[in-house]
Amino acid sequence: MNLRQHWYKWVATIFLLYVVLGGLFLPLKPGITGLSPVKITSGGTQLLRINVYNAPWLKENAFGDEKIGNGKFQIPSKVILVSKGTVGRWETNEVKFSGDHGQLLANIDFTMGESKLENAYYSVFVELSNGKYLGLPDAVYVERAVGDTVGKSTFLNKPSEHINNDREIFEMSFPNRTVLNESVRNLFYHVPMWFAMLALLAIACWYAVRYLRFGDLQDDIFADSMVRVGILAGILGCITGATWARVTWQSWWPAADPKLNGVAIGMTMYLAYLLLRSTLTDPYQRARITSVYSIFIFPIFIALIAIMPKLSPNSLHPGSGGTVGFNKYDLDSTMRLFFYPAVIGWIALYYWIANLRYRIALIKEKQLNA
Amino acid sequence: MALTEIFVLIRKEMQLEWRNKYAIHGLVLYLAATIFICYLSFKAKQQSIHPIMWNTLFWIILLFSAVNAVGKSFTQESANRNIFYYTFAKPESVIFSKIIYNTLVMLGVSLIGIFFYSWVMGNPVGNMPLYLISLILGAIGFASTLSLVAGIAAQGENSATLMAVMSFPLIIPLLLLLLKLSKSALDGISLSENWDEIAILGALDIIVIVFSGILFPYIWKH
């Protein structure tokens, strides 16, 4: 087997093996998945139950080890509630474990008293013994009780101590974000499908131009294979996207998203390409006409899935229509270590499949002519 | 000279249309019937229609009329006659003459359409000149996009189905922009605040026309 000629097959195999294994087996960073109650009325002590996912103290087997508390292990030392606008801050040092140690119990005295504190949403942070934080933004709503207007308030006014949860030091684990949770791993499958589709359709467009310039029927068969496998990648992108949307956006096909609608229209254009191809019988005429159509629709397809969603005012997809890009979620770049190889690997794999289809089509063509 | 060639071809199209008037009459009747159906199913039942629905409905009517009007561009004349044109005219002249002629037809259809539509459905448009500009840009865009698609579809066997399947997805970006611009006109927003949308639409029209000029010669030669 000629190594140099088949380099992309090696790229596809090795990169995708790395991405699939790493993407499935690397753990998520610890994070808070939820807490109860979510609404607190002030004036008295309240028990907060905080559920921690992938708790580091469980992973490190901190229990049964005598060195707890010397700073080596990550055990919770403080629970802090901070509000965004007006600075309200409650905290407690008394953090207890509940049951299997995956849930934390914290008693906090919520008294607003004579302070000018307003009702607000509070973010919850768990400070660990090594100085790091686990956080859940805007998790609790604290409102003033009817009689809670006299006496000293228990909240701390420390505006200088702002908790910066955005800074994460590098470690080999995926980010743990609210709503996304474990589904963040789908990034290595859903997004590269679209990159691969775009790449294959771009190659198809290029070979269509080549056919019109040089008139070699092989270029047309190659372009056709690229389009067909590109549509396959698009369908798989839709399926992986629909499952992801079901988990995060609660719907298989959220209607308001311009990217989804753009892709639906774009796919119809390429399905029309296949229809057009099947109605023409003369190979040269078919090649000429479908090449023209393929060149004509490719820029419109790009406009539909890449440019129009960026211009539209609302979109659910990251990085379009006012939403933050996915890189905001990936602060220590662990995702990138897998995402870029995934993109290259999937493009190489689809190119491989399209190439096989091309060779089969060539053999069929030869049998027809023989 | 290419310009005289285009002019001669446009005149030929007009004469053909004038000699057998059934096509243009059919188009106007189609338009009137569709508008009347819309009137019966919306206005006559509910007494009032939401302006956004008014606008969308009108553009959908225009879209279907355009597909009908432009779709026959290349199937109307026999293959032998096309070969005859091929011998003396440049393909660029053929497609540009078709685009210009279809633009004129679409302008006529739009104006008759908006007149009749306003008559039966009422006219909530706040800024009529801007609405007319969107109609003109729409006529150019529909005519240029659909002319090339008609040229492609005429090569296949089942050209009416092919025409519909290929043109609807292609026309959607244009239609969305047109809906946005005409919505602004509906709300009475002034012309000066819509320059960028007009510019995008104009640029899209020009891109499609240039693309048609580049790609049509490959369809035309057999």
Side-chain angles (χ1 to χ4, degrees), chain A residues 54-262:
Chain A
N54 272 1
W57 49 89
L58 290 178
K59 192 174 66 190
E60 290 167 359
N61 195 19
F63 302 95
D65 194 308
E66 49 198 53
K67 278 179 279 183
I68 285 180
N70 65 1
K72 191 188 167 196
F73 290 108
Q74 304 177 36
I75 55 164
S77 61
K78 225 181 229 180
V79 169
I80 308 167
L81 276 74
V82 196
S83 74
K84 236 180 233 164
T86 51
V87 183
R89 179 182 171 119
W90 271 290
E91 61 177 57
T92 180
N93 293 328
E94 287 168 36
V95 189
K96 292 195 191 99
F97 294 106
S98 148
D100 61 349
H101 302 283
Q103 193 181 54
L104 301 178
L105 302 177
N107 272 309
I108 299 183
D109 181 15
F110 291 98
T111 306
M112 288 194 176
E114 289 161 349
S115 67
K116 292 210 169 63
L117 216 52
E118 287 169 359
N119 300 347
Y121 278 100
Y122 283 73
S123 301
V124 176
F125 291 97
V126 173
E127 189 180 321
L128 301 175
S129 52
N130 60 357
K132 288 165 78 176
Y133 291 100
L134 308 177
L136 186 66
D138 299 334
V140 186
Y141 187 71
V142 183
E143 64 175 7
R144 190 185 286 270
V146 179
D148 187 17
T149 49
V150 287
K152 198 172 172 294
S153 167
T154 53
F155 90 94
L156 308 159
N157 197 346
K158 286 196 275 183
S160 57
E161 271 193 44
H162 181 69
I163 292 180
N164 186 3
N165 195 45
D166 287 350
R167 201 185 63 240
E168 284 180 21
I169 52 165
F170 176 74
E171 53 185 310
M172 273 307 250
S173 52
F174 296 132
N176 189 339
R177 300 287 151 187
T178 4
V179 179
L180 274 175
N181 300 330
E182 289 280 7
S183 80
V184 80
R185 300 165 197 274
N186 198 6
L187 182 77
F188 311 133
Y189 305 94
H190 172 62
V191 185
M193 294 300 156
W194 298 111
F195 279 66
M197 183 187 190
L198 273 183
L200 292 192
L201 294 182
I203 295 171
C205 182
W206 173 244
Y207 272 82
V209 172
R210 266 183 66 119
Y211 174 77
L212 289 184
R213 282 192 63 189
F214 305 117
D216 186 355
L217 214 51
Q218 292 193 358
D219 285 341
D220 173 64
I221 297 171
F222 192 73
D224 175 49
S225 304
M226 287 291 161
V227 168
R228 277 166 204 268
V229 180
I231 291 172
L232 172 74
I235 291 168
L236 289 177
C238 275
I239 293 172
T240 51
T243 46
W244 207 0
R246 182 69 194 85
V247 171
T248 54
W249 304 332
Q250 320 300 328
S251 160
W252 293 106
W253 191 273
D257 198 281
K259 224 165 203 166
L260 293 178
N261 299 336

Side-chain angles (χ1 to χ4, degrees), chain B residues 75-87:
Chain B
T75 48
Q76 199 182 21
E77 294 174 70
S78 67
N80 292 337
R81 204 160 332 151
N82 280 338
I83 291 170
F84 169 59
Y85 297 137
Y86 180 66
T87 54

Side-chain angles (χ1 to χ4, degrees), chain A residues 212-213 265-266 268-269 271-273 275-276 279-281 285 288-289 291-293 295-297 299-300 303-304 308 311, chain B residues 145 148-149 152-153 155-158 161-162 165-166 169-170 172-173 176-177 180 200 208 211-212 215 218-219 221-222:
Chain A
L212 289 184
R213 282 192 63 189
I265 300 162
T268 0
M269 290 195 310
L271 292 176
Y273 170 92
L275 186 73
L276 177 67
T279 59
L280 300 165
T281 41
Q285 189 200 21
R288 210 177 52 241
I289 304 295
S291 294
V292 167
Y293 184 64
I295 296 166
F296 193 57
I297 59 178
I300 297 175
L304 277 172
M308 302 274 274
L311 297 176
Chain B
T145 313
L148 184 67
V149 176
I152 294 174
Q155 307 285 325
E157 269 154 33
N158 199 346
T161 316
L162 262 185
V165 169
M166 290 197 299
L170 277 174
I172 282 173
L176 289 179
L177 285 169
K180 213 172 157 190
I200 291 175
V208 171
F211 252 79
S212 306
L215 292 176
Y218 294 102
I219 304 170
K221 73 175 175 207
H222 286 281

